[in-house]
Amino acid sequence: MKLLVIAPATSYEPGPFGDLLTRLAEDTVETARREGWTPTLIGLEDCGDHRWQPALAAADAVVILGGHDVDPRLYGGPLDYPGSGDHLVTADRRALIVIQACRADRRPLLGICRGMHLINVAYGGDLIPHLVTHLNHRRPEGDPMRDHLVDVAPESSLAAVLPERQVTVRSSHHQAIGVLGRGLKPVAWATHDGVIEAVEDPERPVLAVQWHPEDQGAEPDQLPALLGWLAAELRDATDRERPAS
């Protein structure tokens, strides 16, 4: 099983944020390998078309990781907002192409944090540029990750992956879904403020969470369970395509 792991970039400016993104990507790749995948890590901002396009064509499933804020021009948001940082325009536009390709051919797709935001934008939704309650979702200094509770909708794909109706997650974000994209369904919410924490497409194998299951401080079974959902969706698609005997 070939898994394409998409990061915002191949390398980042030296510092805590870049170091964190590098570690999260590496940990995702290592976990995927342990779970039986053959992972390929691509940074969309600074790689050539000759790298990401063949990698997408060869992938059985895709994971889009977290990172920088989504370029607000892609969803009609303000260019200046609290906490605004660098926007990786090339990475964002390429990620939208990846998402639409997965939608078109029903390729299993998992979004994490920024990956969920990009999926919502690709489905025609928008983002809240800066949450009033952002300190419930990230720490202002030091380790940016914050643990909090999330309520999971019963009878959802996520509930089949994470069977507890309330789970502890590890997050670090100051943006969230505003207008929900057409065709997406919210399936988890932050217990403390009701922010949407996960979405899925009931018609396609698309699932996204706003927290970081790949962080080393997260519940250790969350990322393997989500990767297991990708594998199960891939097996189901293969079974549907297999000719009847």
Side-chain angles (χ1 to χ4, degrees):
M1 301 183 297
K2 296 180 180 178
L3 181 68
L4 177 58
V5 179
I6 291 179
T10 303
S11 61
Y12 306 96
E13 293 292 329
F17 182 60
D19 293 345
L20 174 64
L21 295 186
T22 298
R23 175 170 57 79
L24 292 175
E26 292 174 348
D27 289 347
T28 301
V29 168
E30 180 55 34
T31 300
R33 189 173 287 115
R34 290 199 304 268
E35 294 299 312
W37 293 91
T38 301
T40 298
L41 177 63
I42 293 287
L44 285 183
E45 181 69 14
D46 48 13
C47 73
D49 289 343
H50 67 285
R51 280 280 289 145
W52 73 271
Q53 290 178 348
L56 174 60
D60 297 311
V62 177
V63 176
I64 301 179
L65 298 177
H68 304 67
D69 292 354
V70 175
D71 181 4
R73 288 167 290 192
L74 295 178
Y75 59 88
L79 297 180
D80 185 23
Y81 55 87
S84 175
D86 294 334
H87 299 119
L88 304 185
V89 180
T90 298
D92 288 346
R93 294 185 183 279
R94 287 173 169 175
L96 295 183
I97 294 171
V98 170
I99 294 165
Q100 299 297 11
C102 290
R103 291 180 68 185
D105 62 16
R106 307 182 70 87
R107 197 173 337 189
L109 171 63
L110 172 66
I112 294 176
C113 195
R114 175 176 176 271
M116 185 178 94
H117 298 163
L118 285 162
I119 287 171
N120 193 60
V121 171
Y123 275 72
D126 69 11
L127 302 177
I128 300 170
H130 185 69
L131 283 168
V132 175
T133 58
H134 67 97
L135 291 181
N136 290 332
H137 298 266
R138 68 173 182 178
R139 296 187 184 278
E141 56 187 30
D143 182 354
M145 296 290 175
R146 180 177 289 280
D147 293 328
H148 64 89
L149 292 173
V150 163
D151 298 315
V152 178
E155 299 181 4
S156 62
S157 295
L158 183 61
V161 174
L162 305 176
E164 298 295 330
R165 294 288 69 78
Q166 191 173 75
V167 296
T168 299
V169 302
R170 193 120 164 106
S171 71
S172 177
H173 62 92
H174 75 118
Q175 299 192 319
I177 287 177
V179 175
L180 188 67
R182 294 180 298 277
L184 290 177
K185 177 183 177 182
V187 292
W189 302 263
T191 304
H192 47 264
D193 58 13
V195 168
I196 295 173
E197 289 285 340
V199 296
E200 62 186 50
D201 183 341
E203 304 298 326
R204 294 175 178 83
V206 176
L207 175 63
V209 299
Q210 193 164 234
W211 64 85
H212 286 279
E214 79 280 29
D215 184 72
Q216 292 177 356
E219 295 291 330
D221 59 338
Q222 286 185 2
L223 182 57
L226 289 164
L227 294 174
W229 171 83
L230 284 174
E233 290 292 333
L234 183 59
R235 287 192 297 270
D236 288 348
T238 302
D239 290 343
R240 286 192 298 269
E241 293 171 1
R242 184 177 294 119
S245 56

